[in-house]
Amino acid sequence: MEAKGAKMFCYQCQETAGCKGCTQMGVCGKNPEVAAMQDLLIYVTKGLSAVTSCLRAEGERVESSINYLVTLNLFITITNANFDSQAIVSRIEETLKIKETLLAQLQSRGNLPAAALWQDTADHFVCKAAQVGILSTENEDIRSLRELITYGLKGLAAYQKHANVLGYENEEIDAFVQSTLAKLLDDSLTGDELTALALETGKWGVDGMALLDKANTETYGNPEMTKVDLGVRKNPGILISGHDLKDLEMLLEQTEGTGVDVYTHGEMLPAHYYPKFKKYAHFAGNYGNAWWKQKEEFTAFGGPILMTTNCVVPPKADYQARLFTTGATGVPGCVHIEAEADGTKDFSSLIELAKKCPAPQELEQGQIVGGFAHEQVFALADKVVAAVKSGAIRKFVVMAGCDGRMKSRDYYTEFAKALPQDTVILTAGCAKYKYIKLNLGDIAGIPRVLDAGQCNDSYSLALIALKLKEVFALDDVNELPIAYNIAWYEQKAVIVLLALLHLGVKNIHLGPTLPAFLSPNVAKVLVENFGIGTISTVEADLKKMIG
Ligand code: SF4
Ligand code: SF3
């Protein structure tokens, strides 16, 4: 499998080179050095997890700070989060240090894997990384299952991190994540056992999304139907992107009364749907589209940009000095805003820079409507049920997931346009940018595109499906008039997929291509047991999904 002269190997996202693997340089911009340090960070995090799992087995409690460290390590390696190899080296060093302290607390080191005992200094990291990357698992199917689980855990970690910063945690999820990471080092596990573990990961994915949903809604209120402005105002502004609502809250507090407006970008758009953020008069609207258009849109914005999570695209020189990272993100040459010990962050450098910048250049005008998370949809339940019963709504199509730069994703715009008038799109994640601005109209006052929020709010879509199943007194969620046409790009979509499989959802169409990390045998298991398939043409898929 390894290409001749390969300098790295990564196949965790949908845009992987040739739909096989990035071997020279990531399509995302990740270079071999960063790829190597990410591989090693995953290895040492597995080693640490083997130690924490043994400690738990010995009846010891694992500190929250260690759970947070594992969570952040996984999150940092997600696609388009961190391109700063030095920052990753620091995480490896810190992980090794903490692991050494924990090893000393163990009563027995008897069954620990080599990764749990490995220690070295930074000058040997590159050499070690070359031995522990993805291809170090030789069997293609075992490798495929290990990576499927690892990517699911990375996605789950991202959601846990957002819950953690809001003061919410679930030790059971952390214990599962860590014991599973440890199992990925165990060569005795069979393909069947790993398949079962992948499906179990989906169960914890549901719990992780439920935890984050609770954290978000208890902190910021339940999302509600909201019109979001797409135009610009006259003040200078700060653009905030990614998924971290706590960062947004701190930024809104610190910019209040300064004459600087705050705009959302990409996956931060759904923040406008939360009641708590509506009180800020300077929370101006949403600017631009999904992550992959950021090069042109960040140039046009003209002011500081704060990346709270993925997806970061390595910046162009013209705005590099205006791009700030925080949390799991990092870009060499860009200022990284660290949290204080109490979690607060000081955004004054962005505010001062904003004051010297021009107001954003207008990209478009108008509004979009969103905020259809579970409570808002439940409030409309009578209307929705009546529309289904009368036949006004024939089918719902879940089109959640990610957007991406590949031309083949135009399929999703064309598919949305071609859907019959008696269908409703349920969406979440940045996939929505492919059709949310199309003005697809409404059915008896129900918009034909119902946006629940960020990718993690796919949880809302699952709750809506379960509610409909209850209302229509069905035994099986697959009897509902719902089709699934999901676009994926990075690892958060992997945990959403595993969560849907855990909930028993069948016949999911996953596109624009199936993951390269699914070996033919693993893909066959998913096709045979869950009816997973990919997309073909708009016409053929409409026929298949809508009838
Ligand atoms: Fe390639 Fe995707 Fe990995 Fe980036 S994250 S190196 S594009 S597979
Ligand atoms: Fe998008 Fe990166 Fe996945 Fe949260 S911002 S959905 S791709």
Side-chain angles (χ1 to χ4, degrees):
M1 178 151 198
E2 195 165 4
K4 241 186 167 174
K7 296 180 184 151
M8 59 186 275
F9 186 81
C10 180
Y11 63 175
Q12 67 176 356
C13 83
Q14 190 273 326
E15 292 187 359
T16 195
C19 220
K20 287 197 164 70
C22 295
T23 56
Q24 305 296 320
M25 176 78 190
V27 173
C28 60
K30 179 160 94 178
N31 64 32
E33 189 190 354
V34 173
M37 289 308 101
Q38 289 189 353
D39 287 348
L40 190 59
L41 182 59
I42 291 294
Y43 178 75
V44 299
T45 304
K46 285 177 183 168
L48 171 68
S49 296
V51 177
T52 56
S53 299
C54 279
L55 277 171
R56 284 192 180 92
E58 289 180 358
E60 298 295 329
R61 195 181 159 272
V62 175
E63 296 286 330
S64 291
S65 61
I66 291 161
N67 294 334
Y68 293 173
L69 178 106
V70 170
T71 300
L72 188 57
N73 284 358
L74 289 171
F75 192 2
I76 272 179
T77 66
I78 223 165
T79 299
N80 290 343
N82 205 306
F83 296 90
D84 184 350
S85 63
Q86 270 317 307
I88 304 168
V89 166
S90 303
R91 301 290 307 170
I92 297 168
E93 289 177 322
E94 192 185 342
T95 305
L96 289 174
K97 202 165 110 199
I98 286 174
K99 192 186 69 187
E100 212 48 29
T101 315
L102 294 181
L103 271 173
Q105 294 170 19
L106 269 180
Q107 287 164 30
S108 160
R109 294 184 180 196
N111 292 322
L112 283 175
L117 302 169
W118 183 74
Q119 271 295 340
D120 217 325
T121 48
D123 44 340
H124 294 118
F125 284 179
V126 172
C127 179
K128 183 68 181 175
Q131 299 159 18
V132 299
I134 294 161
L135 298 173
S136 62
T137 300
E138 280 171 20
N139 181 296
E140 183 187 40
D141 299 325
I142 300 293
R143 183 196 307 144
S144 173
L145 288 163
R146 282 180 170 175
E147 295 309 312
L148 170 64
I149 295 166
T150 305
Y151 304 152
L153 294 179
K154 289 184 184 194
L156 174 53
Y159 297 152
Q160 273 182 292
K161 167 76 165 57
H162 299 314
N164 292 162
V165 293
L166 295 176
Y168 290 73
E169 58 184 67
N170 178 338
E171 157 70 17
E172 280 184 75
I173 301 178
D174 290 304
F176 170 78
V177 168
Q178 292 161 36
S179 68
T180 304
L181 284 170
K183 284 178 191 163
L184 299 179
L185 295 164
D186 182 351
D187 290 329
S188 74
L189 287 191
T190 62
D192 285 348
E193 286 167 324
L194 286 168
T195 304
L197 195 54
L199 296 177
E200 196 189 346
T201 304
K203 179 238 174 268
W204 293 96
V206 175
D207 291 357
M209 283 192 272
L211 179 72
L212 178 54
D213 183 78
K214 185 173 155 69
N216 284 340
T217 55
E218 287 185 356
T219 311
Y220 303 117
N222 273 301
E224 53 195 20
M225 187 162 87
T226 305
K227 286 186 177 155
V228 182
D229 288 333
L230 300 175
V232 295
R233 299 182 185 173
K234 293 200 166 63
N235 290 332
I238 295 175
L239 189 59
I240 178 167
S241 193
H243 304 68
D244 195 311
L245 298 180
K246 181 73 187 168
D247 286 335
L248 172 69
E249 183 184 10
M250 289 188 278
L251 182 66
L252 285 169
E253 274 169 8
Q254 293 174 35
T255 42
E256 198 165 29
T258 61
V260 173
D261 290 333
V262 173
Y263 294 82
T264 54
H265 178 269
E267 274 285 70
M268 200 56 88
L269 156 68
H272 292 278
Y273 310 155
Y274 287 91
K276 183 121 182 236
F277 296 127
K278 290 185 177 164
K279 69 175 184 189
Y280 295 100
H282 65 297
F283 193 25
N286 190 66
Y287 190 85
N289 295 280
W291 65 272
W292 60 278
K293 286 199 170 167
Q294 66 189 249
K295 280 194 172 165
E296 52 192 280
E297 292 175 354
F298 288 2
T299 296
F301 186 74
I305 304 129
L306 178 64
M307 298 301 309
T308 66
T309 71
N310 63 315
C311 281
V312 187
V313 174
K316 286 198 296 180
D318 72 76
Y319 66 82
Q320 173 153 342
R322 292 191 276 114
L323 190 75
F324 295 72
T325 61
T326 191
T329 60
V331 175
C334 292
V335 175
H336 184 79
I337 311 278
E338 285 292 351
E340 304 292 330
D342 64 355
T344 56
K345 293 180 183 177
D346 178 1
F347 294 125
S348 55
S349 50
L350 281 96
I351 299 169
E352 289 317 306
L353 176 60
K355 287 178 181 167
K356 295 183 206 133
C357 292
Q361 196 180 305
E362 184 177 273
L363 296 178
E364 59 195 321
Q365 292 179 340
Q367 292 181 318
I368 45 175
V369 182
F372 298 95
H374 49 86
E375 291 311 299
Q376 178 64 84
V377 175
F378 294 171
L380 295 171
D382 290 350
K383 256 188 179 179
V384 173
V385 170
V388 174
K389 283 190 174 155
S390 73
I393 296 180
R394 178 164 40 134
K395 205 142 199 181
F396 296 94
V397 188
V398 172
M399 291 182 72
C402 309
D403 199 3
R405 45 168 88 83
M406 279 182 167
K407 187 84 185 108
S408 55
R409 287 181 188 260
D410 288 349
Y411 160 93
Y412 294 102
T413 308
E414 296 310 315
F415 185 87
K417 277 191 203 161
L419 276 170
Q421 290 298 319
D422 54 2
T423 54
V424 170
I425 295 173
L426 300 174
T427 192
C430 65
K432 67 170 79 64
Y433 284 101
K434 280 282 186 273
Y435 39 79
I436 199 164
K437 297 176 183 173
L438 290 177
N439 291 322
L440 292 178
D442 62 89
I443 300 173
I446 303 161
R448 287 194 53 231
V449 179
L450 295 177
D451 177 26
Q454 297 179 337
C455 46
N456 43 291
D457 296 309
S458 300
Y459 175 69
S460 261
L461 305 183
L463 288 190
I464 292 165
L466 294 174
K467 181 80 176 177
L468 288 172
K469 177 181 155 230
E470 183 193 311
V471 171
F472 290 107
L474 300 171
D475 296 329
D476 184 342
V477 78
N478 296 297
E479 291 169 29
L480 285 165
I482 304 181
Y484 293 81
N485 194 2
I486 291 179
W488 83 285
Y489 169 60
E490 39 77 45
Q491 298 77 55
K492 296 184 202 186
V494 177
I495 193 64
V496 172
L497 175 71
L498 293 176
L500 289 174
L501 297 185
H502 167 73
L503 292 171
V505 175
K506 297 226 161 87
N507 302 322
I508 295 173
H509 296 261
L510 194 62
T513 53
L514 284 183
F517 56 79
L518 295 180
S519 67
N521 286 331
V522 172
K524 195 164 162 244
V525 169
L526 293 178
V527 172
E528 284 173 1
N529 293 298
F530 299 98
I532 285 192
T534 189
I535 56 170
S536 57
T537 63
V538 169
E539 297 69 37
D541 290 347
L542 277 173
K543 217 166 169 198
K544 215 187 294 170
M545 291 183 223
I546 311 297

